[in-house]
Amino acid sequence: MNHILVTGGAGYIGSHTVLELLKLGENVVVIDDLSNSSKESLNRVETLSGKAVTFFEGSILDQDLLVNIFSQFSFSSVIHFAGHKAVGESVNKPLSYYHNNVQGTVSLVEVMEKFNVNNLVFSSSATVYGEGAKPPYIETQTLGCPTSPYGQTKLMVERILADVVRSNSDFKVANLRYFNPIGADESGQIGEDPNGIPNNLMPFVAQVAVGKRAELSIFGNDYATEDGTCERDYIHVTDLAQGHVAALNWLVNQAHGLCEAFNLGTGTPYSVLKIVKSFEQYTKVKVPFKFVPRRDGDLDAFWANADKAADKLNWQAHKTMQDMMEDTWRWQSNNPNGYNA
Ligand code: WQD
């Protein structure tokens, strides 16, 4: 029986992807060190799908554990989410990011090669386009220089995987470049549960709405955009999860080794102020905010050209801004303390 290995499968995007896979009847094995995630997400995924997940707690840096797992299951493919993802933290702890994200991937791919598992979907990021890239970002443009060590790790891993494909004509890679994932499964049972003070916009908005934080600080209102606040391409996490399924289906049907990148976004930019106003409109909950100075490293506006994913993967985002706001709120209001209720 074939299985799919999902590294980091207990995290925000990982758990939503595991849910979509189980709903399709796939057999899923998760490895996650729970450093920024909770096993409870997978308990809920099992309840929602009515299907069990095999779970291993541990790091992909632990090759003995990986070899042990690969010896027990026959994997058709791997979806690789496991990694640190806080941009600001990566500036203060670069070595931890390079070790975990880059060395972790090397460790994983070495074991994949050893067991002849040749399909890999990698969790990359729009940050690989770097500062100075002109939106909408398209996969054919030259990659830039990401501003943070976090971004550098994503770019380095993409390059390492391209080299692996050049050396191994059976190895197939899809690098999925995410834009800004938000929202939650429509059940309100799983969602984003950041440790401590949220770095990202949407969990911060949701925590203000639920009364955990007094007000949102909007970083800068003097950007070169319509209302002066930054614009991003926000994508519903369920659309994103389905993008992984589409990429996997495409990958296993390719005859030869390849390394291809796909943007996963909606193609439509929204400003920070528009997000706040949409949240208020669709949830009827007020989000007090103030303007504060710009945050270091923020770009004024970027969004995806998502045509390649539509053409090749037959995937596009379907959820609306209303879905993104209502689903975020259902998750946050049902679970004010995340999984630690
Ligand atoms: C969005 C907008 C902020 C918080 C990062 C990574 C990216 C990806 C997603 C991660 C910006 C503004 C935010 C707040 C605010 N990776 N903001 N007040 O920076 O576009 O992308 O997260 O896992 O690689 O770079 O996302 O959600 O942090 O910010 O005004 O309290 O919201 O300035 O304009 P970003 P974000």
Side-chain angles (χ1 to χ4, degrees):
M1 198 197 307
N2 268 339
H3 284 72
I4 297 169
L5 177 65
V6 182
T7 76
Y12 173 44
I13 305 170
S15 58
H16 286 81
T17 303
V18 171
L19 176 60
E20 295 305 311
L21 291 168
L22 293 178
K23 281 183 180 170
L24 292 168
E26 300 286 0
N27 302 305
V28 179
V29 175
V30 168
I31 176 171
D32 196 305
D33 67 2
L34 302 181
S35 59
N36 189 27
S37 59
S38 165
K39 172 71 179 41
E40 176 60 15
S41 66
L42 293 177
N43 298 340
R44 297 189 184 186
V45 161
E46 288 185 326
T47 307
L48 288 169
S49 65
K51 236 193 132 196
V53 180
T54 306
F55 175 69
F56 292 90
E57 181 174 348
S59 167
I60 52 170
L61 286 158
D62 180 350
Q63 275 200 335
D64 291 341
L65 174 61
L66 286 180
V67 167
N68 179 338
I69 296 172
F70 276 72
S71 307
Q72 291 181 51
F73 299 90
S74 165
F75 292 120
S76 56
S77 42
V78 176
I79 308 183
H80 175 32
F81 294 103
H84 294 335
K85 62 159 195 172
V87 176
E89 181 187 62
S90 78
V91 176
N92 298 320
K93 296 182 183 172
L95 294 178
S96 157
Y97 274 68
Y98 290 117
H99 183 61
N100 195 68
N101 294 9
V102 180
Q103 183 54 31
T105 305
V106 171
S107 165
L108 173 69
V109 175
E110 279 177 348
V111 177
M112 287 179 70
E113 284 204 313
K114 192 171 173 155
F115 285 83
N116 209 19
V117 177
N118 288 321
N119 297 303
L120 177 65
V121 173
F122 172 59
S123 176
S124 189
S125 166
T127 188
V128 298
Y129 290 105
E131 213 173 355
K134 221 176 107 36
Y137 295 168
I138 186 161
E139 293 88 346
T140 46
Q141 76 197 60
T142 310
L143 298 181
C145 184
T147 45
S148 69
Y150 159 77
Q152 293 285 2
T153 67
K154 294 292 174 189
L155 184 58
M156 282 180 190
V157 168
E158 283 205 15
R159 291 194 166 138
I160 289 168
L161 295 175
D163 287 342
V164 172
V165 170
R166 272 190 283 273
S167 73
N168 175 351
S169 57
D170 293 327
F171 207 74
K172 296 181 274 180
V173 177
N175 291 314
L176 303 186
R177 296 177 180 160
Y178 313 154
F179 283 69
N180 286 59
I182 62 171
D185 183 65
E186 63 183 7
S187 64
Q189 290 296 305
I190 57 172
E192 187 167 14
D193 182 20
N195 283 335
I197 302 171
N199 298 305
N200 297 114
L201 177 64
M202 212 54 228
F204 205 108
V205 167
Q207 291 194 7
V208 171
V210 86
K212 282 184 79 173
R213 307 199 181 271
E215 62 183 353
L216 169 73
S217 294
I218 295 184
F219 301 134
N221 62 348
D222 58 352
Y223 284 96
T225 59
E226 221 173 277
D227 64 24
T229 65
C230 295
E231 293 176 346
R232 297 287 182 272
D233 183 338
Y234 295 93
I235 174 171
H236 194 293
V237 66
T238 299
D239 279 329
L240 192 62
Q242 289 169 356
H244 290 73
V245 175
L248 211 54
N249 288 339
W250 176 81
L251 212 53
V252 297
N253 285 314
Q254 301 307 302
H256 302 290
L258 54 84
C259 184
E260 290 267 357
F262 296 94
N263 288 339
L264 296 186
T266 66
T268 307
Y270 272 83
S271 73
V272 177
L273 266 180
K274 264 195 183 162
I275 288 286
V276 173
K277 294 298 158 202
S278 302
F279 186 88
E280 293 185 334
Q281 178 191 347
Y282 294 122
T283 66
K284 309 280 180 250
V285 183
K286 280 273 326 143
V287 178
F289 67 85
K290 65 176 176 202
F291 291 115
V292 300
R294 292 179 174 201
R295 182 173 71 177
D296 268 0
D298 275 339
L299 303 176
D300 54 359
F302 63 85
W303 62 96
N305 173 320
D307 292 350
K308 183 176 174 187
D311 291 347
K312 287 204 170 187
L313 306 182
N314 197 19
W315 170 91
Q316 60 186 34
H318 292 295
K319 300 273 191 184
T320 62
M321 184 50 64
Q322 182 168 359
D323 298 326
M324 298 189 221
M325 297 301 137
E326 288 178 351
D327 293 342
T328 297
W329 184 231
R330 192 172 302 110
W331 155 252
Q332 186 70 61
S333 52
N334 284 346
N335 306 272
N337 297 313
Y339 292 113
N340 303 316

